[in-house]
Amino acid sequence: AQSVTQLGSHVSVSEGALVLLRCNYSSSVPPYLFWYVQYPNKGLQLLLKYTSAATLVKGINGFEAEFKKSETSFHLTKPSAHMSDAAEYFCAVSPGGGNKLVFGAGTILRVKS
Amino acid sequence: GAGVSQSPSNKVTEKGKDVELRCDPISGHTALYWYRQSLGQGLEFLIYFQGNSAPDKSGLPSDRFSAERTGGSVSTLTIQRTQQEDSAVYLCASSLGNGSPETQYFGPGTRLLVL
C-alpha cells in the first residue's frame, strides 16, 4: 500500500529563516506527489505537485520541492519564512496516477517573529 | 469564480441520529471526492465520483456511511446512526476529471460533532 510519512508534527522557524518540511513516500509504482497547505479554518490549498516532469517543482508563495527517487523523498522548502506561512502542511501521494489522494499526518509550521 | 462549497459549516448531533452533509463542486468539474479529517486519523479518503462511472467507495469506514451525487453535480454524504467516533471535519473536493493527476480543489469542510 502506498503511504506518506511526514517527519515532525510541529516545526518552528524564525521569520526569515529557511523552511524545511520533510515528506517520504512509499509506492510500488511511480507516484504523483503533492503538497497542500491548510490555513486556520480554511480548506486545503494546493502548493505544488510533482507529475514526473522536472524533479524540482516550484509552487506558490515561494515554496518548492524536490523529488528524489533514490531517497523516496519530496521535501518542501522555502528560503525565507514569512509570518503568513504559519499553517498546517500536508504531503500527499496519488499512487500510479489515480485520483485518490493518500495524505501524510501533516506538519504544523510556526513562524516566530 | 466560485469554489467548492459545503453545508452546513458546523453540525452538532446526538449519537444515533442521521446526518446529511452537502457539497457543491466547482461548476464543470466532473470528479468529486469526500475526505474525513479527524484527530488521530489525519486526512482519510472516503469516496470518489467520476462522471457516470460507479463511485469508488473503498474508503467508507462502515455501511453507516453512504454518498450520492445527483445529476453529476451536488453530492450528499449521509451518516446513519452516528457514533461519537464520527466526529470530524468532512472535506469535499472536486476536479476537472479530464486527466491524471489532477488538482483537487477543496471546500472549507463541515465540522461534525456527535454528542
Side-chain angles (χ1 to χ4, degrees), chain A residues 47-104:
Chain A
L47 275 177
L48 49 82
K49 63 182 178 184
Y50 166 74
T51 60
S52 75
T55 56
L56 181 63
V57 182
K58 294 187 184 297
I60 62 171
N61 301 337
F63 284 93
E64 63 182 36
E66 186 172 8
F67 173 71
K68 291 187 177 180
K69 184 177 179 180
S70 61
E71 299 177 6
T72 60
S73 69
F74 191 58
H75 301 332
L76 182 71
T77 60
K78 181 174 180 177
S80 177
H82 191 273
M83 297 297 288
S84 61
D85 295 327
E88 188 163 16
Y89 293 79
F90 293 92
C91 183
V93 63
S94 173
N99 282 314
K100 180 168 59 179
L101 292 175
V102 176
F103 285 90

Side-chain angles (χ1 to χ4, degrees), chain A:
Chain A
Q2 288 74 24
S3 67
V4 173
T5 302
Q6 291 184 240
L7 293 176
S9 59
H10 291 77
V11 171
S12 184
V13 300
S14 298
E15 192 173 19
L18 170 72
V19 176
L20 171 61
L21 304 182
R22 299 178 186 274
C23 173
N24 288 87
Y25 69 91
S26 69
S27 176
S28 57
V29 297
Y32 296 116
L33 293 156
F34 305 77
W35 275 100
Y36 279 85
V37 60
Q38 187 175 33
Y39 297 103
N41 300 314
K42 299 286 188 183
L44 289 161
Q45 179 182 5
L46 180 71
L47 275 177
L48 49 82
K49 63 182 178 184
Y50 166 74
T51 60
S52 75
T55 56
L56 181 63
V57 182
K58 294 187 184 297
I60 62 171
N61 301 337
F63 284 93
E64 63 182 36
E66 186 172 8
F67 173 71
K68 291 187 177 180
K69 184 177 179 180
S70 61
E71 299 177 6
T72 60
S73 69
F74 191 58
H75 301 332
L76 182 71
T77 60
K78 181 174 180 177
S80 177
H82 191 273
M83 297 297 288
S84 61
D85 295 327
E88 188 163 16
Y89 293 79
F90 293 92
C91 183
V93 63
S94 173
N99 282 314
K100 180 168 59 179
L101 292 175
V102 176
F103 285 90
T107 298
I108 295 173
L109 175 66
R110 179 183 169 224
V111 182
K112 299 175 291 184
S113 58

